[in-house]
Amino acid sequence: MARILTGIQSSGKPHLGNVLGAIIPAIELSQKKDNESYFFIADLHSLTTIKDGDTRKNNVYEVAAAWLAFGFNTDQNVFYRQSDLPQVTELTWYLNCFTPYPMLANAHSFKDKSDRLSDVNAGLFDYPVLMAADILLYDANLVPVGKDQQQHLEMTRDIAGAVNHQAGKELLIVPEAHIQENVMTVPGTDGQKMSKSYGNTLDLFAPKNTLKKQVMGITTDSTPLEEPKNPDTCNVFALYELIANEKQVAVMRSNYLAGGYGYGHAKKELLNLLLEKFAEQRERFDYYMSDTALIEQELSKGAQKAQKVANEVIARMREALGFGVINR
Ligand code: ADP
Ligand code: TRP
């Protein structure tokens, strides 16, 4: 059985791009027979940029509520909050001491972030080692990530290799990256890639009025209502196509081509479809957010399951490195 592990950034309410590009595909992967998935919310990583505690806690809840709303099976898999297993910070220290400084100094994501951010802290620099600890602490075999994380995975493999070399045996499991090459890119309301950092999101879990405003704000050209329109260059159509069934898409296409059908009509259809198709998930999201103790229960169930392997791996490391034995 392959153990699949991935970290989810805890950056608050997921948008339509996160849902279609990350949540739904990961849940589908977790449903494959013979896979056991460890999915965790990477709240320790968020400390590199977010310092306010209430914001962090709420962001974790929103992310967790979204995954639960989409039906991630927390009985068959392991769903937890990174910081609930502090063993990961202990392992990070051990791994730090096997990580060559230039490896971190050359990380693309560090270079990129240190150019952009005003707060360039040591946590940001050490981010890839914490990520390696996330993976190695749970004996993960396979790590599905986007291309932007490929270098971090290579570092994880190198660090594990260095530890194993020192130990003279396979003390840590060297994971394989599962790079998702052709994941869909969901366009934002301005036609660029949908992203929180561009302020062009459709917030699937927002109240209806907010979502409506966002949909109505999708950029379109100025073709007059009566004239035929090109569906293939239109943002509204591109988004509709991602969620509608074949028949619905064909109907909208012919409406565009026929003329007399305005962008306002198309936006209304898109909004209605979003609300209808995701009605259940929106309701479940609100249900969890209105009672965050339920989320805490789910996360603590996951943390309990994750303890076992985490303690085993830490014990292996402590023994190999000559630290004392402690019982947890
Ligand atoms: P954001 O760009 O809004 O900050 P993140 O970088 O936190 O989003 O992305 C979290 C996950 O959602 C990643 O797996 C990413 O590939 C996926 N994702 C984000 N935006 C999109 C998008 N527009 N289309 C498809 N997938 C996306
Ligand atoms: N760094 C990843 C990202 O930015 C999130 C992450 C943290 C992660 N720890 C991980 C992904 C471990 C896979 C495995 O998306």
Side-chain angles (χ1 to χ4, degrees):
M1 169 144 67
R3 181 170 298 156
I4 299 178
L5 175 143
T6 201
I8 304 155
Q9 287 190 28
S10 56
S11 42
K13 240 181 227 146
H15 52 69
L16 185 69
N18 302 141
V19 166
L20 300 181
I23 300 182
I24 293 176
I27 291 180
E28 280 172 1
L29 188 68
S30 76
Q31 287 163 342
K32 281 205 183 131
K33 237 178 49 182
D34 295 336
N35 282 352
E36 175 192 30
S37 295
Y38 276 54
F39 290 171
F40 67 92
I41 304 174
D43 62 338
L44 290 170
H45 280 102
S46 76
L47 187 55
T48 58
T49 51
I50 298 171
K51 300 297 189 269
D52 177 63
D54 292 338
T55 305
R56 182 172 355 275
K57 194 170 236 175
N58 192 57
N59 281 352
V60 168
Y61 287 150
E62 289 184 328
V63 170
W67 283 75
L68 294 168
F70 271 87
F72 181 53
N73 187 328
T74 59
D75 291 325
Q76 274 166 22
N77 301 290
V78 186
F79 186 51
Y80 57 105
R81 169 167 49 195
Q82 184 187 27
S83 63
D84 285 344
L85 287 110
Q87 294 92 321
V88 77
T89 55
E90 181 179 344
L91 183 59
T92 300
W93 175 251
Y94 304 152
L95 300 181
N96 264 325
C97 299
F98 285 87
T99 305
Y101 171 85
M103 188 201 248
L104 294 181
N106 286 329
H108 309 308
S109 81
F110 176 69
K111 284 193 204 156
D112 172 48
K113 285 179 191 161
S114 56
D115 285 347
R116 270 188 303 119
L117 302 176
S118 55
D119 172 19
V120 183
N121 55 62
L124 206 59
F125 186 70
D126 205 37
Y127 184 109
V129 185
L130 178 58
M131 182 161 159
D134 287 332
I135 298 168
L136 301 174
L137 184 61
Y138 300 100
D139 281 343
N141 306 110
L142 212 65
V143 183
V145 283
K147 251 188 141 38
D148 61 323
Q149 299 296 315
Q150 187 162 8
Q151 195 187 30
H152 288 156
L153 255 294
E154 279 158 16
M155 292 183 191
T156 302
R157 290 168 55 85
D158 286 352
I159 298 169
V163 171
N164 290 346
H165 181 74
Q166 165 69 33
K169 61 178 173 189
E170 203 190 19
L171 194 68
L172 296 173
I173 293 193
V174 183
E176 298 288 332
H178 173 72
I179 307 293
Q180 296 139 316
E181 300 274 358
N182 39 12
V183 281
M184 67 163 97
T185 301
V186 178
T189 53
D190 58 357
Q192 293 187 81
K193 176 185 182 222
M194 186 179 292
S195 170
K196 272 187 208 82
S197 42
Y198 302 146
N200 63 358
T201 57
L202 293 182
D203 292 325
L204 196 56
F205 298 109
K208 186 174 163 183
N209 270 339
T210 310
L211 186 58
K212 180 173 175 187
K213 249 191 224 137
Q214 292 173 338
V215 171
M216 294 303 161
I218 297 174
T219 315
T220 48
D221 63 26
S222 51
T223 316
L225 187 131
E226 321 72 63
E227 281 183 27
K229 299 177 180 59
N230 182 354
D232 298 318
T233 55
C234 175
N235 251 328
V236 184
F237 188 81
L239 283 157
Y240 189 76
E241 222 178 359
L242 288 175
I243 54 169
N245 64 32
E246 247 173 74
K247 199 165 148 214
Q248 290 167 319
V249 174
V251 171
M252 190 177 278
R253 179 175 286 279
S254 66
N255 283 337
Y256 266 67
L257 297 174
Y261 183 79
Y263 291 122
H265 296 126
K267 288 177 181 177
K268 273 205 193 99
E269 297 250 7
L270 172 62
L271 176 69
N272 288 340
L273 184 61
L274 283 167
L275 293 172
E276 183 195 303
K277 186 169 167 129
F278 298 112
E280 196 188 320
Q281 287 86 352
R282 285 169 50 82
E283 203 177 300
R284 281 165 59 87
F285 178 88
D286 290 341
Y287 166 74
Y288 280 112
M289 287 307 289
S290 67
D291 187 359
T292 54
L294 290 170
I295 302 178
E296 287 290 353
Q297 250 173 39
E298 288 286 357
L299 295 175
S300 105
K301 180 173 87 185
Q304 268 168 36
K305 286 199 264 182
Q307 289 295 343
K308 188 170 168 281
V309 56
N311 287 336
E312 277 167 22
V313 172
I314 287 287
R316 274 185 345 236
M317 283 297 280
R318 290 182 69 100
E319 197 204 341
L321 298 173
F323 296 114
V325 176
I326 49 174
N327 288 316
R328 278 189 251 233

